[in-house]
mmCIF file of all heavy atoms in Angstrom:
data_model
loop_
_atom_site.group_PDB
_atom_site.id
_atom_site.type_symbol
_atom_site.label_atom_id
_atom_site.label_comp_id
_atom_site.label_asym_id
_atom_site.label_seq_id
_atom_site.Cartn_x
_atom_site.Cartn_y
_atom_site.Cartn_z
ATOM 1 N N ASP A 1 64.238 23.165 83.891
ATOM 2 C CA ASP A 1 65.291 23.980 83.277
ATOM 3 C C ASP A 1 65.911 25.014 84.211
ATOM 4 O O ASP A 1 66.442 26.032 83.754
ATOM 5 C CB ASP A 1 64.784 24.669 82.004
ATOM 6 C CG ASP A 1 64.365 23.666 80.952
ATOM 7 O OD1 ASP A 1 65.026 22.615 80.849
ATOM 8 O OD2 ASP A 1 63.375 23.928 80.236
ATOM 9 N N CYS A 2 65.833 24.774 85.515
ATOM 10 C CA CYS A 2 66.537 25.642 86.454
ATOM 11 C C CYS A 2 68.012 25.269 86.421
ATOM 12 O O CYS A 2 68.366 24.117 86.196
ATOM 13 C CB CYS A 2 65.971 25.486 87.861
ATOM 14 S SG CYS A 2 64.276 26.094 87.987
ATOM 15 N N LYS A 3 68.845 26.248 86.617
ATOM 16 C CA LYS A 3 70.288 26.050 86.514
ATOM 17 C C LYS A 3 70.942 26.077 87.889
ATOM 18 O O LYS A 3 70.597 26.890 88.738
ATOM 19 C CB LYS A 3 70.912 27.152 85.647
ATOM 20 C CG LYS A 3 70.317 27.248 84.265
ATOM 21 C CD LYS A 3 70.586 26.011 83.467
ATOM 22 C CE LYS A 3 69.958 26.152 82.087
ATOM 23 N NZ LYS A 3 69.782 24.875 81.437
ATOM 24 N N GLN A 4 71.886 25.180 88.067
ATOM 25 C CA GLN A 4 72.676 25.160 89.295
ATOM 26 C C GLN A 4 73.769 26.216 89.157
ATOM 27 O O GLN A 4 74.474 26.258 88.159
ATOM 28 C CB GLN A 4 73.270 23.777 89.497
ATOM 29 C CG GLN A 4 73.987 23.613 90.793
ATOM 30 C CD GLN A 4 74.451 22.181 90.994
ATOM 31 O OE1 GLN A 4 73.904 21.250 90.439
ATOM 32 N NE2 GLN A 4 75.476 22.025 91.793
ATOM 33 N N GLU A 5 73.877 27.088 90.145
ATOM 34 C CA GLU A 5 74.834 28.186 90.108
ATOM 35 C C GLU A 5 75.881 28.015 91.200
ATOM 36 O O GLU A 5 75.572 27.544 92.288
ATOM 37 C CB GLU A 5 74.115 29.520 90.326
ATOM 38 C CG GLU A 5 73.050 29.832 89.300
ATOM 39 C CD GLU A 5 73.609 30.283 87.974
ATOM 40 O OE1 GLU A 5 74.726 30.832 87.968
ATOM 41 O OE2 GLU A 5 72.945 30.073 86.951
ATOM 42 N N PRO A 6 77.098 28.449 90.946
ATOM 43 C CA PRO A 6 78.118 28.401 92.005
ATOM 44 C C PRO A 6 77.886 29.501 93.040
ATOM 45 O O PRO A 6 77.320 30.545 92.738
ATOM 46 C CB PRO A 6 79.423 28.645 91.243
ATOM 47 C CG PRO A 6 79.011 29.399 90.022
ATOM 48 C CD PRO A 6 77.622 28.930 89.681
ATOM 49 N N LEU A 7 78.322 29.247 94.242
ATOM 50 C CA LEU A 7 78.292 30.256 95.293
ATOM 51 C C LEU A 7 79.648 30.949 95.275
ATOM 52 O O LEU A 7 80.671 30.329 95.539
ATOM 53 C CB LEU A 7 78.037 29.616 96.653
ATOM 54 C CG LEU A 7 76.679 28.948 96.826
ATOM 55 C CD1 LEU A 7 76.612 28.239 98.170
ATOM 56 C CD2 LEU A 7 75.565 29.972 96.734
ATOM 57 N N GLU A 8 79.658 32.226 94.955
ATOM 58 C CA GLU A 8 80.918 32.937 94.773
ATOM 59 C C GLU A 8 81.594 33.319 96.086
ATOM 60 O O GLU A 8 82.788 33.174 96.248
ATOM 61 C CB GLU A 8 80.697 34.224 93.957
ATOM 62 C CG GLU A 8 80.172 33.997 92.559
ATOM 63 C CD GLU A 8 78.660 34.063 92.483
ATOM 64 O OE1 GLU A 8 78.039 34.667 93.365
ATOM 65 O OE2 GLU A 8 78.107 33.487 91.540
ATOM 66 N N GLU A 9 80.843 33.849 97.026
ATOM 67 C CA GLU A 9 81.430 34.478 98.197
ATOM 68 C C GLU A 9 81.930 33.511 99.257
ATOM 69 O O GLU A 9 82.902 33.781 99.924
ATOM 70 C CB GLU A 9 80.416 35.431 98.824
ATOM 71 C CG GLU A 9 80.072 36.592 97.909
ATOM 72 C CD GLU A 9 79.059 37.513 98.532
ATOM 73 O OE1 GLU A 9 78.862 37.435 99.761
ATOM 74 O OE2 GLU A 9 78.465 38.294 97.806
ATOM 75 N N HIS A 10 81.260 32.408 99.435
ATOM 76 C CA HIS A 10 81.652 31.493 100.506
ATOM 77 C C HIS A 10 81.300 30.068 100.115
ATOM 78 O O HIS A 10 80.511 29.841 99.217
ATOM 79 C CB HIS A 10 80.946 31.864 101.806
ATOM 80 C CG HIS A 10 79.455 31.833 101.692
ATOM 81 N ND1 HIS A 10 78.731 32.851 101.137
ATOM 82 C CD2 HIS A 10 78.552 30.896 102.045
ATOM 83 C CE1 HIS A 10 77.453 32.553 101.158
ATOM 84 N NE2 HIS A 10 77.310 31.370 101.702
ATOM 85 N N LYS A 11 81.916 29.172 100.795
ATOM 86 C CA LYS A 11 81.607 27.770 100.574
ATOM 87 C C LYS A 11 80.618 27.345 101.643
ATOM 88 O O LYS A 11 80.889 27.459 102.832
ATOM 89 C CB LYS A 11 82.863 26.913 100.649
ATOM 90 C CG LYS A 11 83.818 27.189 99.518
ATOM 91 C CD LYS A 11 85.031 26.300 99.612
ATOM 92 C CE LYS A 11 85.986 26.606 98.484
ATOM 93 N NZ LYS A 11 87.189 25.790 98.529
ATOM 94 N N ALA A 12 79.486 26.892 101.217
ATOM 95 C CA ALA A 12 78.456 26.454 102.144
ATOM 96 C C ALA A 12 77.950 25.094 101.696
ATOM 97 O O ALA A 12 78.190 24.672 100.568
ATOM 98 C CB ALA A 12 77.320 27.469 102.169
ATOM 99 N N LYS A 13 77.240 24.458 102.576
ATOM 100 C CA LYS A 13 76.701 23.142 102.260
ATOM 101 C C LYS A 13 75.323 23.268 101.633
ATOM 102 O O LYS A 13 74.360 22.656 102.068
ATOM 103 C CB LYS A 13 76.662 22.283 103.513
ATOM 104 C CG LYS A 13 78.052 21.988 104.036
ATOM 105 C CD LYS A 13 78.013 21.093 105.242
ATOM 106 C CE LYS A 13 79.428 20.807 105.694
ATOM 107 N NZ LYS A 13 79.486 19.878 106.796
ATOM 108 N N VAL A 14 75.234 24.127 100.606
ATOM 109 C CA VAL A 14 73.993 24.331 99.865
ATOM 110 C C VAL A 14 74.306 24.474 98.382
ATOM 111 O O VAL A 14 75.431 24.747 97.991
ATOM 112 C CB VAL A 14 73.224 25.591 100.335
ATOM 113 C CG1 VAL A 14 72.765 25.457 101.767
ATOM 114 C CG2 VAL A 14 74.043 26.837 100.146
ATOM 115 N N ILE A 15 73.269 24.273 97.567
ATOM 116 C CA ILE A 15 73.344 24.501 96.134
ATOM 117 C C ILE A 15 72.398 25.649 95.818
ATOM 118 O O ILE A 15 71.272 25.688 96.310
ATOM 119 C CB ILE A 15 72.892 23.255 95.341
ATOM 120 C CG1 ILE A 15 73.810 22.082 95.599
ATOM 121 C CG2 ILE A 15 72.840 23.561 93.853
ATOM 122 C CD1 ILE A 15 73.324 20.800 94.958
ATOM 123 N N LYS A 16 72.849 26.556 94.992
ATOM 124 C CA LYS A 16 72.005 27.657 94.546
ATOM 125 C C LYS A 16 71.438 27.305 93.175
ATOM 126 O O LYS A 16 72.173 26.885 92.281
ATOM 127 C CB LYS A 16 72.821 28.948 94.447
ATOM 128 C CG LYS A 16 72.046 30.124 93.923
ATOM 129 C CD LYS A 16 72.948 31.348 93.807
ATOM 130 C CE LYS A 16 72.238 32.524 93.207
ATOM 131 N NZ LYS A 16 73.139 33.677 93.055
ATOM 132 N N PHE A 17 70.119 27.467 93.035
ATOM 133 C CA PHE A 17 69.456 27.268 91.753
ATOM 134 C C PHE A 17 68.857 28.585 91.304
ATOM 135 O O PHE A 17 68.351 29.351 92.124
ATOM 136 C CB PHE A 17 68.324 26.244 91.869
ATOM 137 C CG PHE A 17 68.802 24.834 91.996
ATOM 138 C CD1 PHE A 17 68.860 24.229 93.236
ATOM 139 C CD2 PHE A 17 69.191 24.109 90.888
ATOM 140 C CE1 PHE A 17 69.296 22.926 93.369
ATOM 141 C CE2 PHE A 17 69.639 22.805 91.014
ATOM 142 C CZ PHE A 17 69.687 22.206 92.252
ATOM 143 N N THR A 18 68.900 28.846 90.005
ATOM 144 C CA THR A 18 68.206 29.996 89.442
ATOM 145 C C THR A 18 67.320 29.515 88.305
ATOM 146 O O THR A 18 67.642 28.541 87.623
ATOM 147 C CB THR A 18 69.173 31.064 88.908
ATOM 148 O OG1 THR A 18 70.029 30.470 87.941
ATOM 149 C CG2 THR A 18 69.997 31.673 90.015
ATOM 150 N N ASN A 19 66.208 30.201 88.144
ATOM 151 C CA ASN A 19 65.311 29.923 87.038
ATOM 152 C C ASN A 19 65.572 30.996 85.993
ATOM 153 O O ASN A 19 65.215 32.153 86.199
ATOM 154 C CB ASN A 19 63.858 29.961 87.511
ATOM 155 C CG ASN A 19 62.889 29.557 86.430
ATOM 156 O OD1 ASN A 19 63.205 29.620 85.246
ATOM 157 N ND2 ASN A 19 61.705 29.147 86.827
ATOM 158 N N PRO A 20 66.198 30.645 84.862
ATOM 159 C CA PRO A 20 66.530 31.659 83.864
ATOM 160 C C PRO A 20 65.303 32.335 83.247
ATOM 161 O O PRO A 20 65.388 33.451 82.765
ATOM 162 C CB PRO A 20 67.333 30.902 82.806
ATOM 163 C CG PRO A 20 67.232 29.473 83.123
ATOM 164 C CD PRO A 20 66.662 29.318 84.483
ATOM 165 N N LYS A 21 64.157 31.673 83.315
ATOM 166 C CA LYS A 21 62.940 32.252 82.743
ATOM 167 C C LYS A 21 62.383 33.379 83.614
ATOM 168 O O LYS A 21 61.787 34.314 83.109
ATOM 169 C CB LYS A 21 61.872 31.171 82.586
ATOM 170 C CG LYS A 21 62.266 30.073 81.618
ATOM 171 C CD LYS A 21 61.239 28.975 81.605
ATOM 172 C CE LYS A 21 61.731 27.809 80.771
ATOM 173 N NZ LYS A 21 60.862 26.641 80.896
ATOM 174 N N THR A 22 62.574 33.267 84.924
ATOM 175 C CA THR A 22 61.985 34.238 85.842
ATOM 176 C C THR A 22 63.027 35.061 86.602
ATOM 177 O O THR A 22 62.692 36.082 87.182
ATOM 178 C CB THR A 22 61.109 33.529 86.889
ATOM 179 O OG1 THR A 22 61.937 32.650 87.654
ATOM 180 C CG2 THR A 22 59.981 32.751 86.236
ATOM 181 N N GLY A 23 64.275 34.578 86.636
ATOM 182 C CA GLY A 23 65.313 35.256 87.403
ATOM 183 C C GLY A 23 65.236 34.964 88.895
ATOM 184 O O GLY A 23 65.989 35.532 89.683
ATOM 185 N N LEU A 24 64.341 34.072 89.310
ATOM 186 C CA LEU A 24 64.179 33.745 90.724
ATOM 187 C C LEU A 24 65.234 32.731 91.154
ATOM 188 O O LEU A 24 65.768 31.989 90.335
ATOM 189 C CB LEU A 24 62.770 33.195 90.970
ATOM 190 C CG LEU A 24 61.630 34.151 90.614
ATOM 191 C CD1 LEU A 24 60.290 33.439 90.714
ATOM 192 C CD2 LEU A 24 61.658 35.370 91.502
ATOM 193 N N GLU A 25 65.515 32.687 92.469
ATOM 194 C CA GLU A 25 66.526 31.763 92.975
ATOM 195 C C GLU A 25 66.078 31.114 94.276
ATOM 196 O O GLU A 25 65.230 31.639 94.989
ATOM 197 C CB GLU A 25 67.855 32.476 93.176
ATOM 198 C CG GLU A 25 67.816 33.584 94.191
ATOM 199 C CD GLU A 25 69.136 34.326 94.286
ATOM 200 O OE1 GLU A 25 69.770 34.583 93.256
ATOM 201 O OE2 GLU A 25 69.525 34.647 95.428
ATOM 202 N N ALA A 26 66.671 29.950 94.553
ATOM 203 C CA ALA A 26 66.408 29.220 95.791
ATOM 204 C C ALA A 26 67.634 28.375 96.102
ATOM 205 O O ALA A 26 68.499 28.165 95.250
ATOM 206 C CB ALA A 26 65.172 28.338 95.653
ATOM 207 N N TYR A 27 67.692 27.898 97.332
ATOM 208 C CA TYR A 27 68.832 27.112 97.801
ATOM 209 C C TYR A 27 68.358 25.755 98.310
ATOM 210 O O TYR A 27 67.303 25.656 98.928
ATOM 211 C CB TYR A 27 69.561 27.852 98.924
ATOM 212 C CG TYR A 27 70.153 29.159 98.456
ATOM 213 C CD1 TYR A 27 69.394 30.327 98.446
ATOM 214 C CD2 TYR A 27 71.453 29.218 98.001
ATOM 215 C CE1 TYR A 27 69.930 31.524 97.997
ATOM 216 C CE2 TYR A 27 72.011 30.410 97.555
ATOM 217 C CZ TYR A 27 71.234 31.557 97.557
ATOM 218 O OH TYR A 27 71.767 32.739 97.108
ATOM 219 N N LEU A 28 69.160 24.727 98.062
ATOM 220 C CA LEU A 28 68.878 23.368 98.509
ATOM 221 C C LEU A 28 70.082 22.867 99.293
ATOM 222 O O LEU A 28 71.222 23.004 98.842
ATOM 223 C CB LEU A 28 68.609 22.461 97.305
ATOM 224 C CG LEU A 28 68.321 20.998 97.574
ATOM 225 C CD1 LEU A 28 67.063 20.824 98.422
ATOM 226 C CD2 LEU A 28 68.177 20.226 96.261
ATOM 227 N N ASN A 29 69.820 22.301 100.464
ATOM 228 C CA ASN A 29 70.901 21.784 101.311
ATOM 229 C C ASN A 29 71.583 20.573 100.689
ATOM 230 O O ASN A 29 70.956 19.778 99.996
ATOM 231 C CB ASN A 29 70.362 21.381 102.688
ATOM 232 C CG ASN A 29 69.935 22.568 103.505
ATOM 233 O OD1 ASN A 29 70.440 23.663 103.344
ATOM 234 N ND2 ASN A 29 68.991 22.347 104.393
ATOM 235 N N LEU A 30 72.859 20.448 100.966
ATOM 236 C CA LEU A 30 73.639 19.285 100.553
ATOM 237 C C LEU A 30 73.735 18.319 101.719
ATOM 238 O O LEU A 30 73.548 18.733 102.859
ATOM 239 C CB LEU A 30 75.045 19.718 100.137
ATOM 240 C CG LEU A 30 75.150 20.492 98.833
ATOM 241 C CD1 LEU A 30 76.582 20.973 98.645
ATOM 242 C CD2 LEU A 30 74.737 19.637 97.662
ATOM 243 N N PRO A 31 74.048 17.087 101.545
ATOM 244 C CA PRO A 31 74.276 16.407 100.277
ATOM 245 C C PRO A 31 72.956 16.047 99.596
ATOM 246 O O PRO A 31 71.910 16.018 100.238
ATOM 247 C CB PRO A 31 75.043 15.154 100.687
ATOM 248 C CG PRO A 31 74.532 14.831 102.049
ATOM 249 C CD PRO A 31 74.262 16.180 102.692
#
């Protein structure tokens, strides 16, 4: 149930995920 979040400030070749239960975040490289 982690959510994929948009990157607001810049376009990068990563995806930002957040865990709504804990508020923690991590990034995964694309593609």
Side-chain angles (χ1 to χ4, degrees):
D1 298 324
C2 293
K3 303 296 180 199
Q4 186 175 336
E5 300 284 333
L7 295 175
E8 298 93 22
E9 295 179 16
H10 59 280
K11 293 181 181 179
K13 295 182 179 184
V14 296
I15 297 174
K16 177 182 176 182
F17 286 99
T18 57
N19 185 339
K21 297 175 187 171
T22 62
L24 300 172
E25 62 184 40
Y27 297 86
L28 179 61
N29 291 332
L30 289 174

